[in-house]
Amino acid sequence: MKVENRVKPNKEQIKGFFEGEDNSAIHMINLLKFKDKAVYEDGRETSLTGKEAYTIYSNEVKEHLRKVGGKAIFWSEVTRLMLGDVEELWDVVGIAMYPNKNAMMTM
């Protein structure tokens, strides 16, 4: 299995997101792998690890989720794989709930 991490969806994924009804809750799974040192798009220097930087970010996101009626459902470090084989484990898995597509897009 080939896995390519992305921060933004492609055109086909966006199109698929808007198909169908808009009344169901969305549960988004986040599979996270952190860099040893945080890297920011604007090039700012930091002494934070990727995990430390993401913790700051995720604390902010929780408030934004609350404002649109969503919430963080689950968050856990990944320590081992029970079944199967992978080259490298993710560091953290998290699940966020949005009440519907509109709430997700508003956020």
Side-chain angles (χ1 to χ4, degrees):
M1 170 177 22
K2 180 179 178 183
V3 177
E4 291 185 32
N5 294 321
R6 298 265 193 302
V7 177
K8 296 179 182 178
N10 63 35
K11 289 179 183 180
E12 186 176 314
Q13 291 164 332
I14 288 287
K15 182 183 174 198
F17 177 79
F18 285 107
E19 293 174 353
E21 57 89 18
D22 185 38
N23 299 323
S24 299
I26 296 171
H27 293 81
M28 183 173 72
I29 298 172
N30 296 276
L31 302 170
L32 306 167
K33 185 70 180 166
F34 302 121
K35 294 180 179 181
D36 292 333
K37 183 175 180 182
V39 176
Y40 292 96
E41 284 186 16
D42 63 9
R44 78 185 101 153
E45 290 296 320
T46 182
S47 61
L48 295 173
T49 66
K51 184 177 181 180
E52 290 167 337
Y54 190 83
T55 299
I56 293 167
Y57 165 80
S58 67
N59 287 335
E60 291 290 323
V61 166
K62 288 175 190 173
E63 179 58 22
H64 292 287
L65 275 169
R66 187 194 62 74
K67 288 178 182 177
V68 298
K71 60 184 173 180
I73 301 285
F74 178 82
W75 171 272
S76 180
E77 289 188 10
V78 177
T79 58
R80 63 186 164 90
L81 188 65
M82 183 69 181
L83 297 170
D85 293 300
V86 294
E87 291 177 12
E88 193 172 359
L89 289 176
W90 287 285
D91 294 320
V92 169
V93 62
I95 302 173
M97 184 282 292
Y98 298 84
N100 53 48
K101 290 179 191 179
N102 186 50
M104 189 175 202
M105 292 308 295
T106 298
M107 189 177 140

